[in-house]
Amino acid sequence: MEKNIKYVSTDGNNEDFIILCKELDQFLNQLVGGQDNRAEYIPYNQLDDIYDVVLAYDKQIPIGCASFKKYTREKNQENHIAEVKRVFVKEQYRGFGIAKELMNNLETQAVKQGYKKLILESGEPLVAAMGLYRSLGYQVTANYEPYVNMSKSICMEKIIGCYYYKKATIDDLEILVSSRIEVLRAANKLTEDTNMSEVEISSRTYYINSLANDTHIAYLVYDGDKVIGTGGISFYQVMPTYHNASGKKAYVMNMYTHPDYRRKRIAFKMLDLLVKEAKERGIKQISLEATEAGKPLYKKYGFTQMENEWEFQSV
C-alpha cells in the first residue's frame, strides 16, 4: 500500500494532535489492561507544555504524531535536553516508515533549536516502538525524573546534532553491498550503466563469510536514517617477521563519505573506530590503498607512504 504522506510542524494546541493523543491513550490502555494500570504515567503526558509537534497526514487525514518538550536548558549548551513525547501512528498506517520520518523531522527541529540530546520514556510492552528507537540510534540509559522509581519504565537517549556511527551486522548486508558498489564506482570513475553484477555477487559473498568468521568489520555512518559514509577493516595473518612477530595485519578499505558531508571529520572519526578495532586485536601493522583525494587525510592521521612493497598482476 503506497502512501503519499505529508508532514506538518505545529504545536500542542493543534486539534488533530489532541485527537491523535487521545487515540494513543486508548491504545496504551488496551495494551496494559486498562487506564488504572498506567495511572501513574498520566500526569506526565499532558499537552500544556508541549510546543513542538510534527503531524503526519494522508491527504487531509491526520494519521500520526510526535512531539518534544524542554527538559533542561542551561548555560552549558551541552545540557540542552528535550524529551520526546506522544509518538503515535494509526494502526493501519504502521509498517510504512511513517514513525521513523516523524522522529527524523522532530530531531531536525530539536537540532535547530540548539538541543544536544533527546530523551524518552518507553517500556517492554511497546516492542515496535523500542525497535524503532534503537534503529534511530537511541540507547537505554538510567531512568530520569519523574521515572526514576518506576520499574516498568525504560528510558533512552540520543545525542543529536552529530552523526551516528554503527558497527554493521549481517542485517545490514544489502546496505554494505550497495555502499561497496558506490565506492567502487566513485574510485574508478565508472558510470551508472557500468555492469557491476559480478562484483556485487562477490561482495555479498565476501560480507556473508567475513562477518561470520570475524575477519572483517564495517561501520556505517548515518545522518538520521540516511547512510552518508562507510568504512571497513579486514584482518589477516602472514608469516611472522622481525618487525611483526605476531604476523597479524589489517587492511583498511571501503572508506567513503558522501560528497555533501565531506570536510566534517567524518572519515577521520571512521579511521579512529577502525584503528581501535585493530589495536584491540593486538595488530600494529595497518595498511591501505589511497586515492589522491584521500592521501591528505591518511597523512594527517599518521599513515606513511611505503616504498618497499611490489605488486604483480597475472594476465
Side-chain angles (χ1 to χ4, degrees):
M1 178 169 55
E2 294 185 0
K3 295 292 175 186
N4 184 22
I5 307 302
K6 181 174 67 174
Y7 298 89
V8 176
S9 297
T10 182
D11 58 38
N13 294 318
N14 184 286
E15 291 185 6
D16 290 334
F17 177 56
I18 294 171
I19 292 171
L20 286 167
C21 286
K22 289 180 180 178
E23 291 188 38
L24 169 58
D25 286 330
Q26 291 172 2
F27 166 75
L28 293 173
N29 291 341
Q30 205 170 30
L31 189 67
V32 300
Q35 181 173 305
D36 290 345
N37 291 330
R38 52 182 290 270
E40 61 182 331
Y41 294 92
I42 293 176
Y44 309 116
N45 285 314
Q46 303 305 308
L47 309 184
D48 51 359
D49 55 353
I50 292 179
Y51 304 103
D52 295 276
V53 175
V54 179
L55 297 178
Y57 286 88
D58 179 13
K59 297 179 181 178
Q60 303 301 318
I61 303 172
I63 61 167
C65 61
S67 65
F68 69 78
K69 67 177 184 179
K70 179 181 73 174
Y71 187 75
T72 61
R73 198 170 180 91
E74 303 174 4
K75 289 183 179 180
N76 180 359
Q77 289 189 354
E78 297 304 315
N79 292 330
H80 289 357
I81 303 173
E83 184 182 15
V84 176
K85 306 293 291 183
R86 313 269 75 189
V87 180
F88 176 69
V89 174
K90 287 176 175 285
E91 185 175 2
Q92 63 268 38
Y93 288 89
R94 295 171 193 167
F96 296 97
I98 296 170
K100 180 177 287 189
E101 194 62 31
L102 283 166
M103 291 293 290
N104 286 337
N105 274 270
L106 208 64
E107 183 175 323
T108 299
Q109 288 190 22
V111 169
K112 288 180 178 178
Q113 293 184 34
Y115 287 104
K116 300 299 181 181
K117 183 191 291 186
L118 289 176
I119 58 176
L120 60 84
E121 183 271 338
S122 189
E124 290 183 0
L126 296 164
V127 177
M130 294 285 289
L132 167 68
Y133 301 140
R134 288 193 178 94
S135 74
L136 291 173
Y138 285 81
Q139 297 182 337
V140 174
T141 185
N143 284 13
Y144 55 85
E145 291 288 354
Y147 306 107
V148 172
N149 296 317
M150 296 187 185
S151 59
K152 295 180 181 178
S153 290
I154 298 176
C155 292
M156 307 182 79
E157 67 178 17
K158 178 182 179 181
I159 304 300
I160 59 173
C162 59
Y163 306 115
Y164 171 55
Y165 294 75
K166 175 191 176 186
K167 183 185 286 191
T169 68
I170 195 63
D171 293 334
D172 302 302
L173 177 62
E174 295 309 315
I175 298 175
L176 290 170
V177 173
S178 63
S179 68
R180 178 60 178 161
I181 299 303
E182 184 178 0
V183 170
L184 291 174
R185 288 190 189 279
N188 295 282
K189 299 180 180 179
L190 302 176
T191 61
E192 287 297 321
D193 59 354
T194 302
N195 188 348
M196 301 285 284
S197 58
E198 186 176 350
V199 178
E200 183 177 339
I201 292 170
S202 298
S203 296
R204 186 174 287 105
T205 301
Y206 172 81
Y207 279 121
I208 291 172
N209 293 333
S210 63
L211 290 176
N213 61 29
D214 199 33
T215 57
H216 181 83
I217 287 175
Y219 277 89
L220 299 166
V221 191
Y222 286 83
D223 182 6
D225 62 350
K226 177 184 178 182
V227 178
I228 61 168
T230 184
I233 188 166
S234 294
F235 308 105
Y236 60 102
Q237 183 81 33
V238 298
M239 290 184 68
T241 67
Y242 174 76
H243 296 289
N244 184 8
S246 71
K248 295 178 180 179
K249 300 186 75 173
Y251 194 88
V252 173
M253 59 201 321
N254 214 46
M255 290 286 294
Y256 180 74
T257 305
H258 189 280
D260 293 344
Y261 291 85
R262 291 173 184 169
R263 301 186 183 278
K264 297 184 178 182
R265 294 182 63 83
I266 293 172
F268 200 92
K269 170 68 173 178
M270 177 65 73
L271 279 174
D272 267 343
L273 292 169
L274 298 176
V275 169
K276 180 182 177 183
E277 295 283 355
K279 287 182 176 179
E280 288 177 350
R281 296 173 183 236
I283 298 174
K284 298 179 179 179
Q285 288 192 351
I286 306 171
S287 57
L288 54 80
E289 182 179 350
T291 62
E292 286 300 318
K295 285 180 180 179
L297 164 69
Y298 302 128
K299 184 177 181 180
K300 183 177 181 180
Y301 192 88
F303 283 83
T304 55
Q305 191 165 354
M306 303 298 292
E307 297 180 356
N308 298 324
E309 289 193 2
W310 294 59
E311 181 180 75
F312 173 79
Q313 290 190 6
S314 60
V315 179

